[in-house]
């Protein structure tokens, strides 16, 4: 997994690319989220558009990210959730806790509302 | 001079010469060392004895009868030899333990030489007292001069007469003095031996002590006691005893030097010493044989010929090389191929170290090698301790407490900079405020041997000075460098070995865990003529995060559980084991399905970290009514296939277990009919991938089940597994795979 990040209107946008799996990926994402929290950013959007695949450990990373942000009065939203990941979120019913949007813009906008 | 006399003379010369050479070598090798100087002086004086005797026996036959040998100058010079006794006493003060450097008035030690110097002067000056008296009588004339000189000359005469009397009894007197010296020295040496701890040092000391004591004892018996009590001993017996005494004393010191590194004389010098002694013996043999043959030839042919000489030279030319190399081999075998030869030490040490993996044994072996070969007094090990994750100064006999050394310790940092063994003095700039440095001072550390693996410091060896008091030579330091490199390899191997043992132990534990996990799966599914169940589970590793279970209920119904924990291997296995127990407990307590999952979820949230979760499907089947009630906690949807080929997915329930404490789970109910079947599975099946990275997927599963719905559950399990294995041939399978099929065989 490769991870790039940007910021828009006080909302951090994370763009993972490739496969989100166990091992170092967990640490990278976890550290990044904590970095945001320390810098006072508590609104995060993860753009899933370029994620090819995610295993159960990857899913665990997302869940722990959401929990971490919520414990710090923040929120984690997903954007561009498609195909395989959409079905993964549906089966596990995580779709009921993650807000998912068709685009990053929509997700960012949703924070203002 | 008869034959026996000439042999004895030759032997005396050989011994005397040998001892003088030994003395020269010892002093020359390490002049700076007091022990070497004193030993050298002692051996020098000991060597003078046989030389003087030999010279005396050559000269005496030529001296006319009115000037007997006893009063000749050469005989009187013999008394120089007696300086051996004070130097022997001096030797006993520095060997085996140096007592002199501790004494305040050690400069006074040379006073012990005074009686013997006086003795020599006395003997030389007064060997003809009558002449002296006559000389003094010249002044006894008339007049003023004689008036003054008279009393003086009488006084002098009186003194001279006194000395003359002394001269007459001098042999007895000095025999007594020498005896006292020898016994005192013997006392000091024997006392000193008890103070020595090093085994090798004790060996060399024992040999030297026995050699010298035998020599002195023999000398006392053969010479001093007869002289003290004016006894007569046959001259030949005296000679034989003297030769034995010289042999014992000289060879004990020579042997210790060659075999036990006494006086720290280097290998090359020791080697040359051996060669010199052996060639001396050869020359002696030549002289004897030559002399004898020459006499026979002269007697036979009546005149001298050169033929023997020429024959000997030819013989020597022909035989020299083979004899020399044979001698060389013999010497190597006898003396040099032993534990003081560095190459030999390395060879033996590396051979032994290969078979040892126990760190304690490795340390013991290194300690033994260094103390017995290099005479290192004490060795301390400072090694990185894997369990402490710190460096530690390991316990020793004198400091039985293990000390943890901080990684920031300044001296430790200094040692880390070293590439080769180094004296601790060179690390002076790394010492201030260092705890390690204090400890090193306490232990009188002299040399540091860093143990480095690439750039990582495994620790170091701290060596005190040598037991013999000598400094470490360049040769020693080179060898210590080689030994420490070897130690690094051995220590690394020992760690790898320990790791592999640990891994083996872990493997055994895991296979035991696998057995436990297999035992936790139901031996055989519930069965009756109403329904038919087949279940299958295969972990991708030895143990896995999938499980299925059938839990009987009181009302004749039973629960079916299928679950998949996130991750793989041991962590996932531990999690599912916990879940399985919880589910059994909830169902056993007749908890309603929604409530059961709610409870389990709260437990899992409380006991695991946020990123760990479990997807689980739980259904309860009542064979009496064919009702199937279930709740799906984020698990792959089980497929209900009806007899007519239509299907529905069992999706109702709630979010996966273990992530959100307040999650709620809805219960759903379906009515089953004859020939309906439900297919439960985990994602190991649906996410099997072919070489094009395509997944086997829910669609293929569904199609297969619908198509094969009329077959028995066992056939369907076998068939779909075969299909999936054809699709994804990865070995071992990517993920844990579990499937359960329940088919209703009789309806109402």
């Amino acid at each position: 997994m490769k991870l790039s990040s940007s910021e828009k209107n006080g909302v951090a946008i994370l763009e993972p690319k490739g496969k989100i799996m166990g091992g170092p990926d967990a640490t990278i994402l976890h550290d990044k989220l904590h970095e945001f929290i320390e810098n006072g950013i508590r609104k995060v959007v993860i753009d899933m558009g370029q994620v090819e695949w995610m295993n159960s450990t990857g899913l665990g990373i997302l869940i722990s990210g959401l929990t971490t942000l919520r414990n710090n009065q923040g929120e984690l939203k997903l954007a561009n959730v498609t195909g395989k990941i959409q079905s993964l979120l549906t089966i596990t019913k995580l779709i009921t806790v993650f807000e998912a949007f068709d685009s990053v813009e929509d997700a960012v906008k949703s924070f203002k509302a | 001079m008869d034959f026996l006399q000439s042999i004895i003379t030759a032997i005396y010369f050989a011994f005397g010469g040998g001892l003088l050479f030994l003395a020269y070598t010892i002093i020359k090798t390490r002049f700076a060392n007091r022990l070497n100087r004193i030993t050298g002086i002692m051996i020098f004086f000991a060597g003078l004895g046989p030389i003087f005797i030999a010279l005396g026996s050559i000269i005496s036959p030529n001296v006319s009868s009115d000037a007997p040998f006893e009063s000749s100058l050469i005989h009187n010079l013999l008394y120089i030899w007696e300086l051996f006794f004070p130097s022997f006493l001096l030797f006993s003060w520095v060997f085996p333990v140096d007592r002199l450097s501790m004494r305040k008035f050690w400069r006074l030690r040379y006073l012990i030489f005074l009686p013997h110097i006086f003795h020599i002067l006395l003997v030389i000056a007064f060997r003809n007292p009558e002449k002296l008296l006559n000389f003094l009588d010249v002044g006894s004339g008339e007049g003023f001069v004689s008036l003054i000189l008279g009393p003086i000359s009488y006084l002098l005469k009186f003194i001279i007469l006194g000395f003359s009397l002394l001269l007459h009894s001098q042999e007895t007197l000095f025999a007594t003095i020498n005896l006292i010296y020898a016994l005192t020295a013997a006392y000091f040496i024997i006392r000193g031996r008890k103070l020595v701890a090093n085994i090798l040092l004790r060996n060399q000391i024992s040999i030297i002590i026995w050699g010298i004591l035998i020599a002195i004892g023999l000398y006392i018996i053969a010479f001093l006691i007869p002289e003290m009590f004016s006894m007569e001993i046959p001259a030949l017996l005296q000679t034989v005893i003297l030769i034995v005494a010289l042999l014992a004393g000289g060879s004990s010191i020579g042997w210790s030097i060659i075999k036990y590194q006494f006086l720290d004389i280097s290998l090359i010098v020791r080697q040359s010493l051996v060669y010199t002694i052996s060639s001396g013996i050869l020359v002696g043999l030549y002289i004897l044989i030559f002399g004898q043959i020459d006499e026979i030839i002269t007697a036979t042919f009546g005149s001298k010929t050169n033929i023997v000489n020429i024959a000997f030279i030819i013989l020597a030319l022909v035989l020299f090389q083979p004899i020399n190399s044979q001698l060389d081999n013999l010497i190597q075998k006898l003396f040099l191929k032993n534990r003081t030869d560095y190459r030999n030490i390395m060879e033996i040490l590396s051979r032994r170290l290969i078979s040892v993996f126990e760190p304690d044994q490795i340390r013991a072996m290194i300690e033994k090698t260094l103390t017995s070969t290099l005479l290192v007094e004490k060795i301390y090990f400072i090694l990185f301790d894997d369990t402490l994750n710190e460096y530690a100064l390991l316990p020793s006999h004198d400091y039985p407490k293990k000390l943890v050394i901080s990684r920031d310790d300044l001296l430790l940092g200094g040692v880390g900079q070293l590439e080769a063994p180094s004296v601790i003095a060179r690390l002076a700039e790394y010492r201030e405020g260092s705890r390690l440095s204090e400890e090193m001072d306490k232990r009188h550390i002299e040399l540091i041997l860093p143990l480095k693996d690439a750039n990582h410091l495994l620790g170091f060896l701290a060596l005190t000075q040598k037991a013999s008091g000598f400094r470490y030579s360049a040769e020693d330091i080179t060898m210590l460098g080689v030994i420490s490199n070897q130690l690094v390899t051995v220590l690394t191997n020992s760690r790898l070995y320990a790791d592999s043992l640990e891994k083996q132990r872990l493997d055994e534990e895991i296979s035991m865990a696998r057995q436990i996990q297999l035992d936790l799966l139901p031996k055989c599914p519930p069965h009756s003529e109403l329904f038919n169940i087949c279940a299958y589970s295969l972990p991708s590793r030895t143990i896995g995060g999938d499980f299925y279970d059938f839990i009987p209920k009181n009302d004749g119904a039973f629960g079916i559980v299928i679950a998949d924990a996130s991750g793989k291997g041991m962590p996932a296995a531990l999690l599912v084991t916990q879940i399985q127990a919880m589910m059994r407990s909830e169902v056993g307590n007749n908890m309603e399905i929604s409530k059961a999952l709610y409870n389990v979820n709260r437990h899992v949230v409380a006991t695991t970290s946020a990123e760990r979760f479990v997807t689980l499907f739980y259904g309860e089947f009542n064979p009496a009514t064919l009702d199937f009630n279930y709740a799906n906690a984020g698990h792959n949807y089980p497929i209900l296939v009806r007899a007519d080929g239509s299907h529905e997915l069992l999706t109702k329930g709630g979010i996966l277990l273990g992530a959100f404490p307040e999650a709620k789970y809805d219960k759903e109910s379906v009515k089953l009919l004859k020939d309906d079947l439900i297919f439960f599975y985990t994602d190991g099946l649906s996410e099997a991938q072919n070489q094009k990275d395509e997944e086997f997927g829910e669609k293929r599963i569904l199609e297969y089940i619908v198509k094969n719905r009329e077959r028995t559950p066992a056939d369907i399990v076998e068939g779909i597994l075969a299909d999936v294995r054809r699709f994804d041939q990865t070995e071992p399978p990517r993920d844990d795979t579990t499937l359960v099929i329940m088919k209703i065989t009789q309806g109402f």
Side-chain angles (χ1 to χ4, degrees), chain B residues 601-714:
Chain B
N601 179 54
R602 288 184 67 90
H603 275 299
V604 183
V605 172
T607 53
T608 59
S609 57
E611 70 272 12
R612 294 224 153 264
F613 61 86
V614 180
T615 67
L616 179 141
F617 179 93
Y618 177 64
E620 282 176 1
F621 176 59
N622 189 342
T625 61
L626 294 188
D627 283 324
F628 187 76
N629 301 322
Y630 74 88
N632 186 344
H635 194 77
N636 295 72
Y637 307 140
I639 307 162
L640 166 59
V641 180
R642 300 289 183 181
D644 62 359
S646 65
H647 73 273
E648 55 189 280
L649 301 174
L650 308 183
T651 60
K652 286 280 165 48
I655 201 161
L656 43 72
L657 298 175
F660 304 97
E662 293 308 320
K664 296 222 167 9
Y665 299 89
D666 298 329
K667 187 179 82 173
E668 178 71 10
S669 193
V670 287
K671 191 85 178 172
L672 300 180
L673 298 166
K674 185 175 184 289
D675 293 331
D676 286 353
L677 72 80
I678 306 178
F679 183 75
F680 310 87
Y681 66 97
T682 58
D683 59 6
L685 193 72
S686 55
E687 289 175 4
Q689 280 179 1
N690 67 8
Q691 286 175 344
K692 293 178 207 156
D693 274 2
E694 292 164 343
E695 287 193 356
F696 192 74
E698 286 88 4
K699 200 166 159 257
R700 280 198 186 86
I701 294 173
L702 181 63
E703 278 169 9
Y704 185 91
I705 302 297
V706 170
K707 198 173 141 197
N708 295 282
R709 66 184 182 281
E710 278 157 22
R711 297 169 70 186
T712 64

Side-chain angles (χ1 to χ4, degrees), chain B residues 532-546:
Chain B
N532 186 354
I533 295 177
C534 182
Y536 168 89
S537 184
L538 180 73
S540 81
R541 301 184 191 174
T542 324
I543 49 176
D546 279 8

